[in-house]
Amino acid sequence: MSKQDSVFFNVFSLVLGILVAITLVLFALARSVGAGTQREHVLEDAKYQAAVRQNIQPFARVAVAGEDNSALAIVATSSADGDGAAMAAALTDGPGVYAAACTACHGAGIGGAPKTGDAAAWAPRIAQGKATLYKHAIEGFQGAAGVMPAKGGRTDISDELIQAAVDHMAGL
């Protein structure tokens, strides 16, 4: 290693060390300034407390054969910003279900999904009959053109509403 390389390495290491030291000092200063004001406000904030309660809830419950599983009923959840009621209201007819569950794939044709309003893409599917369309939408389907997950991945939607959404998309 030449003398110039050695000098450069030493200077570069010194500059890097100084930058790391400045970063650590700024971090410690920010922590000390924020510790006196932020901690109390954050811990007393109702939204923060609600988020913590939601995050520590178990994400799944298991039904055990032979035990009383009546407490394991499916409970509709609402989002923290209050749009859960609006979402539930949207799931009352075909267009609402389409907007909530189907438009992600059928609006853009993702994964081989026939686009809504594309008569050429829907024609062979409609020719198979409504019963087949409904079955594939409800139970899921894997064909040559792509994959249709059961109920579009929204298993919380009733079969009747899925059928209404199919009718809406296919123009039936």
PDB file of all heavy atoms in Angstrom, residues 32 78 94 97:
ATOM      1  N   SER A  32     -33.335  12.720  24.461  1.00  0.00           N
ATOM      2  CA  SER A  32     -33.459  13.411  25.747  1.00  0.00           C
ATOM      3  C   SER A  32     -34.488  14.534  25.673  1.00  0.00           C
ATOM      4  O   SER A  32     -35.236  14.754  26.629  1.00  0.00           O
ATOM      5  CB  SER A  32     -32.099  13.954  26.207  1.00  0.00           C
ATOM      6  OG  SER A  32     -31.675  14.990  25.334  1.00  0.00           O
ATOM      7  N   SER A  78     -64.346  -3.462  12.490  1.00  0.00           N
ATOM      8  CA  SER A  78     -64.406  -2.155  11.853  1.00  0.00           C
ATOM      9  C   SER A  78     -63.037  -1.529  11.942  1.00  0.00           C
ATOM     10  O   SER A  78     -62.280  -1.786  12.864  1.00  0.00           O
ATOM     11  CB  SER A  78     -65.441  -1.265  12.531  1.00  0.00           C
ATOM     12  OG  SER A  78     -65.072  -1.029  13.871  1.00  0.00           O
ATOM     13  N   GLY A  94     -74.831  -6.127  -5.992  1.00  0.00           N
ATOM     14  CA  GLY A  94     -73.780  -6.512  -6.929  1.00  0.00           C
ATOM     15  C   GLY A  94     -72.752  -5.436  -7.194  1.00  0.00           C
ATOM     16  O   GLY A  94     -71.550  -5.690  -7.109  1.00  0.00           O
ATOM     17  N   VAL A  97     -70.480  -5.000  -4.102  1.00  0.00           N
ATOM     18  CA  VAL A  97     -69.532  -6.108  -3.949  1.00  0.00           C
ATOM     19  C   VAL A  97     -68.456  -6.019  -5.019  1.00  0.00           C
ATOM     20  O   VAL A  97     -67.276  -6.249  -4.753  1.00  0.00           O
ATOM     21  CB  VAL A  97     -70.265  -7.471  -4.008  1.00  0.00           C
ATOM     22  CG1 VAL A  97     -69.281  -8.622  -4.050  1.00  0.00           C
ATOM     23  CG2 VAL A  97     -71.197  -7.612  -2.824  1.00  0.00           C
TER      24      VAL A  97
END
